[in-house]
Amino acid sequence: MTRAKWEFEGREFTNCNCAYGCPCQFNALPTHGHCQAAVGIVIDKGYHGEVRLDGLKVVGIFRWPGPIHEGNGEAAVIVDSHADAAQREALLRILTGQDTDPGATIFQVFSATLATLHPPVFADIDFEVDVEARTARLSVDGLVETRGEPIVNPVTGATYRGRIDLPNGFEYSIAEMGRGWSRTSGPIPLDLADSYGQFAHLHLGEHGIVR
């Protein structure tokens, strides 16, 4: 198959099992020695070849027995049931790192660390995220329940705002920091509570972050 050009702008919320800030963002080892995460993405506008992807949503559930770079991970992908056959194929190619320069996007990097990719699920995805407010809610009936909130100062009770700026990253340019809770079932059951939460605007393409 000829490699397709693709690009999208969207928003994401990620909840992983690390402490606030996530040392993995700075090439350090994960807080608990292993990695688990639930991710929701809404594509505000985008395309893959001739296929439009505007308004579609996807969910990724991930688990690695150690740090991500050591591999042996597994992933489960949920694709918006509103996507037609061509859109489903396009999204799955992007999410599995195809049609992408090596190391250019988080999807391509993660794909190189997976030992198991479970069959995709097509389902209704209820996902709302406000990056600047650091709030998110993600629900897939019977499979995923996730929420994201701002970090709260334990002394004053005021919301705390911090950001990560990665000029040479492969996922986002700037991410707002928060916290999250996730419960998932199916092939990768997770139970995350008050752990790392990340809210970000995404602008990605086959060559990486579009700047």
Side-chain angles (χ1 to χ4, degrees):
M1 179 182 290
T2 302
R3 174 169 148 168
K5 295 182 180 296
W6 67 270
E7 183 179 329
F8 76 75
E9 295 179 50
R11 291 162 288 138
E12 75 165 354
F13 173 66
T14 297
N15 177 210
C16 83
N17 62 316
C18 278
Y20 299 171
C22 183
C24 307
Q25 302 292 329
F26 304 97
N27 291 318
L29 296 178
T31 302
H32 306 291
H34 62 281
C35 293
Q36 303 175 347
V39 183
I41 296 173
V42 56
I43 297 174
D44 295 313
K45 61 179 180 179
Y47 64 88
H48 178 276
E50 300 298 320
V51 179
R52 296 299 308 181
L53 304 174
D54 305 14
L56 295 176
K57 303 169 185 175
V58 294
V59 175
I61 304 167
F62 302 91
R63 180 169 60 191
W64 291 266
I68 293 173
H69 68 273
E70 293 184 358
N72 295 314
E74 60 179 320
V77 175
I78 303 170
V79 174
D80 198 330
S81 62
H82 294 95
D84 63 25
Q87 291 171 323
R88 292 180 180 190
E89 174 67 16
L91 288 170
L92 288 172
R93 289 189 67 80
I94 292 172
L95 295 173
T96 55
Q98 300 179 69
D99 301 325
T100 303
D101 295 347
T105 70
I106 189 169
F107 311 124
Q108 200 286 325
V109 171
F110 276 14
S111 72
T113 70
L114 300 176
T116 302
L117 178 60
H118 296 282
V121 172
F122 304 99
D124 290 342
I125 299 172
D126 184 6
F127 180 48
E128 298 177 358
V129 57
D130 185 324
V131 174
E132 284 68 31
R134 289 100 68 210
T135 59
R137 182 177 61 82
L138 170 61
S139 179
V140 181
D141 190 33
L143 292 174
V144 183
E145 294 293 335
T146 294
R147 77 178 193 273
E149 300 177 358
I151 296 169
V152 175
N153 184 304
V155 177
T156 66
T159 58
Y160 172 86
R161 188 177 187 186
R163 300 190 293 184
I164 295 177
D165 183 343
L166 297 180
N168 300 309
F170 51 65
E171 180 182 5
Y172 59 80
S173 294
I174 295 177
E176 297 277 355
M177 295 295 95
R179 54 184 181 156
W181 290 256
S182 296
R183 283 192 176 183
T184 68
S185 58
I188 307 179
L190 302 181
D191 189 359
L192 309 179
D194 198 9
S195 55
Y196 176 79
Q198 168 188 305
F199 307 80
H201 292 282
L202 304 180
H203 192 178
L204 295 169
E206 71 265 23
H207 304 303
I209 294 177
V210 179
R211 304 183 187 279

